Amino acid sequence: LSNSQAQRNKERELDKEKEKEYLLKIRQLESKLNEMKSEIDKHKLEMKMVAEFLFDGQTKVEIIRMGYMNKMGDLMKSWKRRLFVLTSKRELHYFSPGERKHCGYLALKSVLHIRSSLTHDLAVELTFRNDDRVWLIGFDSPALKKEWIDELNKTSSSKPLHLI
């Protein structure tokens, strides 16, 4: 083979390698896009579930914050993953996303104390007036804990919680 033919063959091989790389990147991007579409569909279902429950058509309720946290009640001593929705009515609703149902809510106007948990680093304790129960709400990260506490402080009537 002449030098020019060898050079062309080498260039074709490089082009084929680049094409393979591009095709692989395209497949990875398509896979990521499908994951994102799936997440969007999941969030649409969650929002529909929340909207169907919270909005009765008569009262305007604003969603202040929404996200997943873990909850441990005073009676049931196991952590449950829940979708929490903080509303302008000073209520913290929680939903079971797997079952797509409303599980209950915490009336923040009756919160006596919000404080960092002594036993769980990423949790806060909510103590209510006229109720001996203490609720533990667990967060996925210190940043999320701080963000939620800031919102809870704005919404509840309890003394503010300051994180150190």
Side-chain angles (χ1 to χ4, degrees):
L1 292 175
S2 69
N3 277 346
S4 61
Q5 283 181 318
Q7 184 65 28
R8 280 193 298 262
N9 287 344
K10 195 174 192 177
E11 288 172 1
R12 278 190 218 123
E13 288 298 317
L14 288 174
D15 288 344
K16 287 180 184 180
E17 287 299 317
K18 282 184 183 178
E19 185 178 350
K20 285 180 186 178
E21 287 177 24
Y22 289 140
L23 289 173
L24 179 62
K25 285 181 182 179
I26 288 171
R27 281 191 216 109
Q28 290 171 340
L29 289 171
E30 286 173 341
S31 176
K32 186 68 173 169
L33 180 62
N34 287 334
E35 286 175 26
M36 292 169 74
K37 284 179 180 178
S38 177
E39 281 293 309
I40 289 170
D41 290 343
K42 179 180 135 189
H43 289 299
K44 282 181 182 177
L45 283 173
E46 291 167 352
M47 288 301 293
K48 183 179 180 205
M49 172 183 64
V50 169
E52 286 172 353
F53 182 82
L54 293 179
F55 304 115
D56 59 10
Q58 298 171 0
T59 309
K60 182 181 177 191
V61 179
E62 181 184 344
I63 293 175
I64 296 171
R65 188 164 182 91
M66 182 169 141
Y68 283 94
M69 294 182 283
N70 299 301
K71 175 190 85 64
M72 183 189 298
D74 194 43
L75 302 174
M76 301 297 288
K77 293 290 186 185
S78 61
W79 289 101
K80 304 260 187 210
R81 187 100 172 134
R82 296 288 184 240
L83 174 65
F84 280 83
V85 178
L86 179 61
T87 71
S88 57
K89 291 172 67 175
R90 297 175 63 195
E91 296 172 340
L92 185 61
H93 291 265
Y94 53 101
F95 297 81
S96 174
E99 300 169 28
R100 294 201 178 114
K101 71 173 189 174
H102 183 261
C103 297
Y105 74 96
L106 307 172
L108 296 176
K109 63 185 174 193
S110 63
V111 170
L112 185 60
H113 301 289
I114 301 174
R115 65 177 181 217
S116 277
S117 170
L118 299 174
T119 56
H120 300 87
D121 288 344
L122 293 177
V124 294
E125 296 176 359
L126 302 174
T127 307
F128 293 85
R129 289 184 186 90
N130 307 320
D131 194 344
D132 292 335
R133 294 187 301 168
V134 175
W135 288 65
L136 277 174
I137 307 291
F139 305 90
D140 292 338
S141 72
L144 279 176
K145 180 179 176 182
K146 183 180 179 338
E147 290 170 16
W148 272 93
I149 287 171
D150 289 346
E151 291 297 340
L152 290 171
N153 280 335
K154 290 179 199 172
T155 309
S156 75
S157 59
S158 69
K159 292 180 181 175
L161 168 66
H162 299 285
L163 295 177
I164 298 171

PDB file of all heavy atoms in Angstrom, residues 133-151:
ATOM      1  N   ARG A 133     -47.296  13.449  72.273  1.00  0.00           N
ATOM      2  CA  ARG A 133     -46.494  12.817  71.222  1.00  0.00           C
ATOM      3  C   ARG A 133     -45.373  13.719  70.738  1.00  0.00           C
ATOM      4  O   ARG A 133     -45.503  14.937  70.696  1.00  0.00           O
ATOM      5  CB  ARG A 133     -47.365  12.434  70.031  1.00  0.00           C
ATOM      6  CG  ARG A 133     -48.357  11.351  70.375  1.00  0.00           C
ATOM      7  CD  ARG A 133     -49.077  10.863  69.163  1.00  0.00           C
ATOM      8  NE  ARG A 133     -49.800  11.953  68.508  1.00  0.00           N
ATOM      9  CZ  ARG A 133     -50.336  11.846  67.296  1.00  0.00           C
ATOM     10  NH1 ARG A 133     -50.223  10.742  66.614  1.00  0.00           N
ATOM     11  NH2 ARG A 133     -50.987  12.845  66.762  1.00  0.00           N
ATOM     12  N   VAL A 134     -44.284  13.074  70.350  1.00  0.00           N
ATOM     13  CA  VAL A 134     -43.157  13.768  69.719  1.00  0.00           C
ATOM     14  C   VAL A 134     -42.943  13.102  68.366  1.00  0.00           C
ATOM     15  O   VAL A 134     -42.811  11.889  68.278  1.00  0.00           O
ATOM     16  CB  VAL A 134     -41.869  13.653  70.577  1.00  0.00           C
ATOM     17  CG1 VAL A 134     -40.690  14.259  69.844  1.00  0.00           C
ATOM     18  CG2 VAL A 134     -42.070  14.303  71.931  1.00  0.00           C
ATOM     19  N   TRP A 135     -42.931  13.916  67.330  1.00  0.00           N
ATOM     20  CA  TRP A 135     -42.712  13.407  65.983  1.00  0.00           C
ATOM     21  C   TRP A 135     -41.265  13.663  65.588  1.00  0.00           C
ATOM     22  O   TRP A 135     -40.731  14.733  65.860  1.00  0.00           O
ATOM     23  CB  TRP A 135     -43.612  14.137  64.994  1.00  0.00           C
ATOM     24  CG  TRP A 135     -45.056  13.758  65.117  1.00  0.00           C
ATOM     25  CD1 TRP A 135     -45.861  14.000  66.189  1.00  0.00           C
ATOM     26  CD2 TRP A 135     -45.844  13.092  64.163  1.00  0.00           C
ATOM     27  NE1 TRP A 135     -47.109  13.522  65.941  1.00  0.00           N
ATOM     28  CE2 TRP A 135     -47.130  12.955  64.700  1.00  0.00           C
ATOM     29  CE3 TRP A 135     -45.587  12.600  62.889  1.00  0.00           C
ATOM     30  CZ2 TRP A 135     -48.161  12.339  64.006  1.00  0.00           C
ATOM     31  CZ3 TRP A 135     -46.622  11.994  62.201  1.00  0.00           C
ATOM     32  CH2 TRP A 135     -47.889  11.868  62.757  1.00  0.00           C
ATOM     33  N   LEU A 136     -40.659  12.683  64.957  1.00  0.00           N
ATOM     34  CA  LEU A 136     -39.316  12.844  64.390  1.00  0.00           C
ATOM     35  C   LEU A 136     -39.450  12.914  62.876  1.00  0.00           C
ATOM     36  O   LEU A 136     -40.082  12.056  62.263  1.00  0.00           O
ATOM     37  CB  LEU A 136     -38.426  11.654  64.746  1.00  0.00           C
ATOM     38  CG  LEU A 136     -37.748  11.673  66.106  1.00  0.00           C
ATOM     39  CD1 LEU A 136     -37.033  10.355  66.345  1.00  0.00           C
ATOM     40  CD2 LEU A 136     -36.763  12.813  66.190  1.00  0.00           C
ATOM     41  N   ILE A 137     -38.858  13.949  62.308  1.00  0.00           N
ATOM     42  CA  ILE A 137     -38.821  14.098  60.855  1.00  0.00           C
ATOM     43  C   ILE A 137     -37.350  14.043  60.448  1.00  0.00           C
ATOM     44  O   ILE A 137     -36.544  14.843  60.913  1.00  0.00           O
ATOM     45  CB  ILE A 137     -39.433  15.439  60.400  1.00  0.00           C
ATOM     46  CG1 ILE A 137     -40.840  15.638  60.962  1.00  0.00           C
ATOM     47  CG2 ILE A 137     -39.405  15.552  58.882  1.00  0.00           C
ATOM     48  CD1 ILE A 137     -41.880  14.719  60.403  1.00  0.00           C
ATOM     49  N   GLY A 138     -37.012  13.082  59.604  1.00  0.00           N
ATOM     50  CA  GLY A 138     -35.632  12.886  59.176  1.00  0.00           C
ATOM     51  C   GLY A 138     -35.408  13.402  57.761  1.00  0.00           C
ATOM     52  O   GLY A 138     -36.267  13.257  56.892  1.00  0.00           O
ATOM     53  N   PHE A 139     -34.245  13.984  57.550  1.00  0.00           N
ATOM     54  CA  PHE A 139     -33.890  14.590  56.268  1.00  0.00           C
ATOM     55  C   PHE A 139     -32.751  13.818  55.618  1.00  0.00           C
ATOM     56  O   PHE A 139     -31.990  13.146  56.299  1.00  0.00           O
ATOM     57  CB  PHE A 139     -33.478  16.057  56.478  1.00  0.00           C
ATOM     58  CG  PHE A 139     -34.532  16.852  57.195  1.00  0.00           C
ATOM     59  CD1 PHE A 139     -34.524  16.943  58.579  1.00  0.00           C
ATOM     60  CD2 PHE A 139     -35.533  17.483  56.497  1.00  0.00           C
ATOM     61  CE1 PHE A 139     -35.504  17.659  59.249  1.00  0.00           C
ATOM     62  CE2 PHE A 139     -36.518  18.201  57.153  1.00  0.00           C
ATOM     63  CZ  PHE A 139     -36.502  18.289  58.536  1.00  0.00           C
ATOM     64  N   ASP A 140     -32.620  13.968  54.304  1.00  0.00           N
ATOM     65  CA  ASP A 140     -31.579  13.248  53.566  1.00  0.00           C
ATOM     66  C   ASP A 140     -30.211  13.909  53.658  1.00  0.00           C
ATOM     67  O   ASP A 140     -29.207  13.265  53.382  1.00  0.00           O
ATOM     68  CB  ASP A 140     -31.970  13.105  52.097  1.00  0.00           C
ATOM     69  CG  ASP A 140     -33.162  12.170  51.902  1.00  0.00           C
ATOM     70  OD1 ASP A 140     -33.408  11.340  52.793  1.00  0.00           O
ATOM     71  OD2 ASP A 140     -33.835  12.278  50.865  1.00  0.00           O
ATOM     72  N   SER A 141     -30.168  15.186  54.016  1.00  0.00           N
ATOM     73  CA  SER A 141     -28.883  15.881  54.088  1.00  0.00           C
ATOM     74  C   SER A 141     -28.997  17.064  55.048  1.00  0.00           C
ATOM     75  O   SER A 141     -30.104  17.550  55.310  1.00  0.00           O
ATOM     76  CB  SER A 141     -28.468  16.390  52.703  1.00  0.00           C
ATOM     77  OG  SER A 141     -29.282  17.485  52.323  1.00  0.00           O
ATOM     78  N   PRO A 142     -27.857  17.539  55.559  1.00  0.00           N
ATOM     79  CA  PRO A 142     -27.886  18.733  56.421  1.00  0.00           C
ATOM     80  C   PRO A 142     -28.461  19.956  55.707  1.00  0.00           C
ATOM     81  O   PRO A 142     -29.170  20.760  56.309  1.00  0.00           O
ATOM     82  CB  PRO A 142     -26.413  18.952  56.782  1.00  0.00           C
ATOM     83  CG  PRO A 142     -25.766  17.621  56.622  1.00  0.00           C
ATOM     84  CD  PRO A 142     -26.508  16.957  55.490  1.00  0.00           C
ATOM     85  N   ALA A 143     -28.182  20.082  54.400  1.00  0.00           N
ATOM     86  CA  ALA A 143     -28.698  21.236  53.645  1.00  0.00           C
ATOM     87  C   ALA A 143     -30.224  21.198  53.576  1.00  0.00           C
ATOM     88  O   ALA A 143     -30.888  22.221  53.779  1.00  0.00           O
ATOM     89  CB  ALA A 143     -28.097  21.253  52.242  1.00  0.00           C
ATOM     90  N   LEU A 144     -30.791  20.018  53.305  1.00  0.00           N
ATOM     91  CA  LEU A 144     -32.249  19.897  53.269  1.00  0.00           C
ATOM     92  C   LEU A 144     -32.854  20.163  54.637  1.00  0.00           C
ATOM     93  O   LEU A 144     -33.902  20.794  54.757  1.00  0.00           O
ATOM     94  CB  LEU A 144     -32.664  18.511  52.786  1.00  0.00           C
ATOM     95  CG  LEU A 144     -32.649  18.291  51.290  1.00  0.00           C
ATOM     96  CD1 LEU A 144     -32.980  16.848  50.959  1.00  0.00           C
ATOM     97  CD2 LEU A 144     -33.619  19.222  50.592  1.00  0.00           C
ATOM     98  N   LYS A 145     -32.184  19.685  55.666  1.00  0.00           N
ATOM     99  CA  LYS A 145     -32.664  19.927  57.029  1.00  0.00           C
ATOM    100  C   LYS A 145     -32.757  21.425  57.287  1.00  0.00           C
ATOM    101  O   LYS A 145     -33.775  21.918  57.769  1.00  0.00           O
ATOM    102  CB  LYS A 145     -31.723  19.261  58.040  1.00  0.00           C
ATOM    103  CG  LYS A 145     -32.133  19.445  59.482  1.00  0.00           C
ATOM    104  CD  LYS A 145     -31.142  18.735  60.416  1.00  0.00           C
ATOM    105  CE  LYS A 145     -31.468  18.975  61.872  1.00  0.00           C
ATOM    106  NZ  LYS A 145     -30.513  18.354  62.775  1.00  0.00           N
ATOM    107  N   LYS A 146     -31.718  22.154  56.944  1.00  0.00           N
ATOM    108  CA  LYS A 146     -31.707  23.602  57.167  1.00  0.00           C
ATOM    109  C   LYS A 146     -32.803  24.299  56.358  1.00  0.00           C
ATOM    110  O   LYS A 146     -33.518  25.156  56.870  1.00  0.00           O
ATOM    111  CB  LYS A 146     -30.349  24.198  56.836  1.00  0.00           C
ATOM    112  CG  LYS A 146     -30.299  25.693  57.133  1.00  0.00           C
ATOM    113  CD  LYS A 146     -28.983  26.308  56.809  1.00  0.00           C
ATOM    114  CE  LYS A 146     -28.921  27.793  57.067  1.00  0.00           C
ATOM    115  NZ  LYS A 146     -30.150  28.540  57.120  1.00  0.00           N
ATOM    116  N   GLU A 147     -32.958  23.922  55.083  1.00  0.00           N
ATOM    117  CA  GLU A 147     -33.970  24.541  54.227  1.00  0.00           C
ATOM    118  C   GLU A 147     -35.380  24.326  54.782  1.00  0.00           C
ATOM    119  O   GLU A 147     -36.181  25.256  54.833  1.00  0.00           O
ATOM    120  CB  GLU A 147     -33.874  23.975  52.810  1.00  0.00           C
ATOM    121  CG  GLU A 147     -32.636  24.412  52.058  1.00  0.00           C
ATOM    122  CD  GLU A 147     -32.437  23.647  50.756  1.00  0.00           C
ATOM    123  OE1 GLU A 147     -33.394  22.996  50.285  1.00  0.00           O
ATOM    124  OE2 GLU A 147     -31.317  23.700  50.210  1.00  0.00           O
ATOM    125  N   TRP A 148     -35.657  23.074  55.196  1.00  0.00           N
ATOM    126  CA  TRP A 148     -36.988  22.779  55.736  1.00  0.00           C
ATOM    127  C   TRP A 148     -37.202  23.513  57.063  1.00  0.00           C
ATOM    128  O   TRP A 148     -38.287  24.028  57.324  1.00  0.00           O
ATOM    129  CB  TRP A 148     -37.181  21.274  55.904  1.00  0.00           C
ATOM    130  CG  TRP A 148     -37.718  20.631  54.672  1.00  0.00           C
ATOM    131  CD1 TRP A 148     -36.997  20.052  53.670  1.00  0.00           C
ATOM    132  CD2 TRP A 148     -39.084  20.518  54.288  1.00  0.00           C
ATOM    133  NE1 TRP A 148     -37.834  19.582  52.694  1.00  0.00           N
ATOM    134  CE2 TRP A 148     -39.126  19.841  53.056  1.00  0.00           C
ATOM    135  CE3 TRP A 148     -40.280  20.901  54.874  1.00  0.00           C
ATOM    136  CZ2 TRP A 148     -40.317  19.559  52.392  1.00  0.00           C
ATOM    137  CZ3 TRP A 148     -41.475  20.621  54.214  1.00  0.00           C
ATOM    138  CH2 TRP A 148     -41.479  19.957  52.983  1.00  0.00           C
ATOM    139  N   ILE A 149     -36.194  23.546  57.902  1.00  0.00           N
ATOM    140  CA  ILE A 149     -36.338  24.227  59.193  1.00  0.00           C
ATOM    141  C   ILE A 149     -36.611  25.708  58.980  1.00  0.00           C
ATOM    142  O   ILE A 149     -37.450  26.298  59.666  1.00  0.00           O
ATOM    143  CB  ILE A 149     -35.101  23.993  60.083  1.00  0.00           C
ATOM    144  CG1 ILE A 149     -35.124  22.552  60.592  1.00  0.00           C
ATOM    145  CG2 ILE A 149     -35.068  24.963  61.257  1.00  0.00           C
ATOM    146  CD1 ILE A 149     -33.872  22.119  61.287  1.00  0.00           C
ATOM    147  N   ASP A 150     -35.932  26.324  58.024  1.00  0.00           N
ATOM    148  CA  ASP A 150     -36.187  27.729  57.712  1.00  0.00           C
ATOM    149  C   ASP A 150     -37.653  27.937  57.342  1.00  0.00           C
ATOM    150  O   ASP A 150     -38.304  28.873  57.812  1.00  0.00           O
ATOM    151  CB  ASP A 150     -35.282  28.214  56.578  1.00  0.00           C
ATOM    152  CG  ASP A 150     -33.825  28.344  56.998  1.00  0.00           C
ATOM    153  OD1 ASP A 150     -33.538  28.323  58.223  1.00  0.00           O
ATOM    154  OD2 ASP A 150     -32.959  28.461  56.103  1.00  0.00           O
ATOM    155  N   GLU A 151     -38.201  27.054  56.512  1.00  0.00           N
ATOM    156  CA  GLU A 151     -39.608  27.165  56.114  1.00  0.00           C
ATOM    157  C   GLU A 151     -40.543  26.888  57.291  1.00  0.00           C
ATOM    158  O   GLU A 151     -41.545  27.573  57.467  1.00  0.00           O
ATOM    159  CB  GLU A 151     -39.929  26.221  54.953  1.00  0.00           C
ATOM    160  CG  GLU A 151     -39.292  26.592  53.650  1.00  0.00           C
ATOM    161  CD  GLU A 151     -39.747  27.951  53.103  1.00  0.00           C
ATOM    162  OE1 GLU A 151     -40.808  28.472  53.496  1.00  0.00           O
ATOM    163  OE2 GLU A 151     -39.020  28.498  52.266  1.00  0.00           O
TER     164      GLU A 151
END
